[in-house]
Amino acid sequence: MSASQPRSPGAIAALTLGALGVVYGDIGTSPLYALKEVFHGGHVAATHDNILGVLSLIFWTMTIIVSLKYVLLILRADNNGEGGLIAMLALATHAVRDRPRLHDALMLVGLFGTAIFYGDGVITPAISVLSAVEGLRVAAPALQHVVIPITLVVLTALFAVQRFGTGGIGRAFGPITLVWFVALVALGLPHVIANPHVLVALNPLYAAVFFAENPLVAFIGLGAVVLVVTGGEALYADMGHFGRLPIRIAWYGFVMPALVVNYFGQGAMLLEHPEAIENPFYLMAPDWARLPLVFLATAATVIASQALISAAFSVTKQAAQLGILPRLRVLHTSVRDTGQIYVPFVNWGLYVFIVLAVALFKSSSNLASAYGIAVTLDMTITTVMTFFVIRYGWKYPLWLCLLATGFFFVIDVTFFASNMLKLVAGGWFPLVIGVGMFTLMLTWRTGRRLMAERLKHDAIDLKSFLDAVFVSPPTRVPGTAVFLNADPDITPNALLHNLKHNKVFHDYNLFVSVKHHDVPWIGFDKRIEMESLGHDCWQVILNFGFKNDPDVPEALKLLEGRGVPLDDMDTSYFLSRDIVAPTVGAGMAIWREKLFAGMHRNAAAAADFLNLPANRVVELGTKVEI
């Protein structure tokens, strides 16, 4: 069922519960460290006025960035029901497709945003799990020396179980996260009731006065305040799984009220006991509840991390299908849910960098210095993309588009500028990861273009070649040959090599080109395009969306009854295996060409990517100089 179809109340309730676990795990665990970090660096003193000012900033940051920007505006920008930065990139570039320079610029911005996501993907599990386990320092001070080892054990177990799939565990995500949000309210409400004066911070004037009286201090404090909205991008990214309505119900009905009560509970306690700033979240709890709370918080942060790991798998798969990243080995962990996948390279790559982050930064406070830059960059990029979608895609008036996105752009840039102050203290870490990924993406995309140009330069037109071949036809052998062809108009190298070395032509020949489009799903009714080339040869184009699984044999079954025999035992699949040879001269810098050659050599086999039967694939190599 797509996200746009009407659902029964029971289905909406189930989806809302599911959204709690998957969508809101990250933002829901922010109270563990967010308020503490505003005051932790020593720039903001824990005075009465400052506490109320910071609480007001937190409330209005959540209201403006999450409630207004993401839940009301961004969730409307769906790509056939799907959300996320890649879906937004597809929408924005499609909207400006008749403006080549703008299209290319937006593509680069979108690629950078996607690359930065991986930096966020490293910091989020590290800071979330570490901040939860750090509760031991409050609940059982004698165990504080095992905080980092326990954190690493939890993270290792989390990444080790990914290959088994998360279907069974996933059903528990919603209920556990619901318990977590109930606990947030149970912790904060008694302190708010004991000191209701804290509720005056709901008035935005307290945030304004805080900024007016301490502009520099408040600006620095924004770098930590933004931690309360980390995970906001997940609202949009997971829209395809749950739909707008369940995500909105979960936010307004459960998540935001629970977060506000907890943050204001922490603030109420700090008004009475400023010394509790050491760890206000755990110090709100009575002594007997602290150790159970550590276990619950750890479970909640594991769920938050799981949602991000699953998102990393999904984004990588989509990026590979759009030609932004090389093909990677993708394993399906569920026979029922095609969205449940496992990408070993991404899994263990994330794990290595997360362990490095925990070992390097050693505490959630130090990690908070690295957190924020990647998040605010992605927020800003999403806002920029939204402008082009609503202006050129939806054709809204320019003044309205500037008003709607300009307001959020100023706020996003302000938060980003504040977080740039943390660059030397740790903000460089996710940026290095993001820039590294951006380099890989750009190199792969440019390398593929250079390869395509080179192959086209040396290629022979398919229709002309077939006409020439059948002037003096070669020997025909029984069976059907399927030639996979990147460009439908040129003769595949695999056919040339087959004729050169085997000197035969099959009775039936399909020249199949697989096209990935910038929409998430393409149905079977639009899957296949077919043109007869004569001599029992056909040109076939298979269309897939970036969330479809490309399955060539399954798609070719749609040709049944159209005169093309596709008996399993008599059908062979021919592929060209291109060997890239870097050369000095035009193209990319030699180091990038060597990098591309390495990526191309180590990419997952096209046969696996296209789900071709291993015992019926023939690969013929060719050398390509770029």
Side-chain angles (χ1 to χ4, degrees):
M1 186 182 285
S2 75
S4 60
Q5 287 179 312
R7 295 183 169 103
S8 67
I12 290 173
L15 286 165
T16 302
L17 185 61
L20 280 179
V22 176
V23 178
Y24 293 110
D26 186 1
I27 200 169
T29 51
S30 295
L32 282 164
Y33 50 82
L35 186 62
K36 176 184 74 172
E37 294 309 324
V38 178
F39 298 97
H40 184 266
H43 301 292
V44 184
T47 63
H48 176 276
D49 290 346
N50 285 356
I51 290 168
L52 292 178
V54 167
L55 284 176
S56 188
L57 265 181
I58 286 173
F59 175 77
W60 286 102
T61 297
M62 282 197 295
T63 300
I64 292 170
I65 291 182
V66 183
S67 296
L68 297 180
K69 177 184 168 182
Y70 280 100
V71 178
L72 285 186
L73 176 64
I74 304 293
L75 281 186
R76 295 188 62 217
D78 69 293
N79 189 347
N80 289 4
E82 294 293 328
L85 201 52
I86 286 186
M88 178 68 85
L89 172 61
L91 281 174
T93 51
H94 182 74
V96 298
R97 60 193 179 280
D98 54 346
R99 295 173 168 82
R101 286 189 178 180
L102 188 54
H103 178 279
D104 292 344
L106 279 180
M107 180 61 77
L108 285 178
V109 171
L111 283 183
F112 189 67
T114 305
I116 283 293
F117 164 79
Y118 290 94
D120 186 24
V122 168
I123 299 295
T124 297
I127 192 172
S128 299
V129 177
L130 187 52
S131 62
V133 180
E134 279 176 348
L136 287 174
R137 291 174 179 163
V138 177
L143 296 176
Q144 63 177 348
H145 64 285
V146 297
V147 166
I148 289 179
I150 289 175
T151 300
L152 293 177
V153 167
V154 170
L155 288 168
T156 302
L158 174 62
F159 282 90
V161 300
Q162 294 302 314
R163 64 194 179 96
F164 301 112
T166 56
I169 312 170
R171 284 190 285 275
F173 283 5
I176 291 173
T177 313
L178 180 60
V179 171
W180 171 252
F181 283 116
V182 170
L184 291 184
V185 175
L187 286 172
L189 194 57
H191 293 277
V192 173
I193 291 170
N195 191 355
H197 172 67
V198 75
L199 294 175
V200 298
L202 293 171
N203 186 337
L205 281 177
Y206 280 83
V209 169
F210 178 55
F211 247 99
E213 293 182 353
N214 316 275
L216 183 59
V217 169
F219 180 69
I220 293 170
L222 285 179
V225 170
V226 78
L227 296 175
V228 306
V229 292
T230 56
E233 283 283 336
L235 284 168
Y236 182 44
D238 287 306
M239 177 167 55
H241 295 117
F242 301 100
R244 288 192 199 98
L245 186 59
I247 288 175
R248 285 172 172 162
I249 291 172
W251 174 252
Y252 293 120
F254 297 96
V255 182
M256 188 172 180
L259 291 175
V260 170
V261 169
N262 193 270
Y263 283 124
F264 275 66
Q266 291 185 44
M269 182 185 66
L270 290 176
L271 289 175
E272 296 292 326
H273 307 285
E275 69 280 1
I277 197 58
E278 174 197 349
N279 199 322
F281 179 82
Y282 280 108
L283 289 171
M284 273 198 302
D287 292 345
W288 62 267
R290 286 173 186 166
L291 201 54
L293 190 58
V294 171
F295 289 111
L296 179 60
T298 303
T301 53
V302 163
I303 290 170
S305 303
Q306 175 60 60
L308 202 138
I309 294 166
S310 298
F313 293 161
S314 179
V315 165
T316 303
K317 180 191 169 199
Q318 292 171 31
Q321 291 185 192
L322 286 174
I324 298 170
L325 283 174
R327 294 183 302 268
L328 292 172
R329 186 162 166 252
V330 176
L331 303 176
H332 288 268
T333 58
S334 170
V335 294
R336 288 182 299 175
D337 185 0
T338 57
Q340 282 196 30
I341 58 173
Y342 169 61
V343 186
F345 182 81
V346 173
N347 187 67
W348 295 113
L350 277 177
Y351 172 73
V352 167
F353 278 104
I354 287 169
V355 168
L356 184 63
V358 172
L360 193 64
F361 291 97
K362 294 184 172 63
S363 75
S364 60
S365 292
N366 293 338
L367 274 166
S369 299
Y371 210 11
I373 291 182
V375 174
T376 49
L377 252 180
D378 267 351
M379 285 179 177
T380 307
I381 288 170
T382 299
T383 302
V384 170
M385 295 281 187
T386 303
F387 169 80
F388 290 100
V389 171
I390 63 177
R391 174 67 182 128
Y392 296 105
W394 300 352
K395 309 293 186 187
Y396 280 12
L398 179 61
W399 68 268
L400 182 60
C401 298
L402 288 172
L403 191 66
T405 57
F407 172 67
F408 297 121
F409 180 76
V410 169
I411 291 170
D412 291 338
V413 168
T414 305
F415 275 110
F416 174 67
S418 174
N419 275 277
M420 283 300 289
L421 298 174
K422 303 191 288 188
L423 186 63
V424 177
W428 57 269
F429 186 75
L431 275 185
V432 165
I433 296 170
V435 169
M437 285 299 302
F438 182 62
T439 303
L440 291 177
M441 288 176 168
L442 208 54
T443 299
W444 179 254
R445 191 164 170 263
T446 307
R448 285 182 76 241
R449 178 178 55 78
L450 292 172
M451 261 188 71
E453 288 172 357
R454 182 68 182 178
L455 287 168
K456 195 158 190 172
H457 180 266
D458 299 333
I460 305 167
D461 176 70
L462 178 59
K463 292 180 181 178
S464 304
F465 177 77
L466 290 175
D467 290 340
V469 163
F470 285 105
V471 169
S472 178
T475 303
R476 306 290 288 257
V477 295
T480 302
V482 177
F483 293 92
L484 274 299
N485 201 11
D487 189 326
D489 297 321
I490 66 173
T491 307
N493 282 323
L495 172 62
L496 296 174
H497 285 289
N498 190 44
L499 280 171
K500 178 181 178 182
H501 297 292
N502 298 324
K503 299 178 174 57
V504 296
F505 212 73
H506 282 72
D507 281 341
Y508 303 95
N509 297 273
L510 296 178
F511 299 95
V512 176
S513 296
V514 176
K515 299 290 183 186
H516 290 285
H517 297 267
D518 57 3
V519 294
W521 305 101
I522 289 179
F524 284 113
D525 58 325
K526 297 178 181 176
R527 175 76 77 235
I528 199 162
E529 299 171 35
M530 184 181 180
E531 179 188 349
S532 175
L533 302 175
H535 312 287
D536 287 323
C537 297
W538 294 269
Q539 189 178 76
V540 177
I541 295 175
L542 301 180
N543 299 298
F544 295 95
F546 60 74
K547 295 201 81 172
N548 286 125
D549 287 317
D551 189 328
V552 169
E554 184 68 26
L556 290 179
K557 288 179 181 177
L558 296 170
L559 294 176
E560 202 172 301
R562 294 170 75 170
V564 185
L566 284 165
D567 182 82
D568 284 350
M569 299 309 296
D570 290 327
T571 303
S572 300
Y573 296 86
F574 290 82
L575 289 88
S576 300
R577 178 172 278 278
D578 303 316
I579 300 164
V580 178
T583 55
V584 178
M588 297 183 286
I590 191 67
W591 68 269
R592 288 185 68 198
E593 289 190 359
K594 288 180 177 177
L595 175 61
F596 173 73
M599 292 167 74
H600 189 271
R601 186 171 56 253
N602 292 298
D608 294 336
F609 185 72
L610 300 173
N611 203 36
L612 304 182
N615 60 343
R616 290 188 281 126
V617 172
V618 181
E619 287 192 310
L620 299 163
T622 182
K623 188 176 179 180
V624 183
E625 292 185 351
I626 60 170

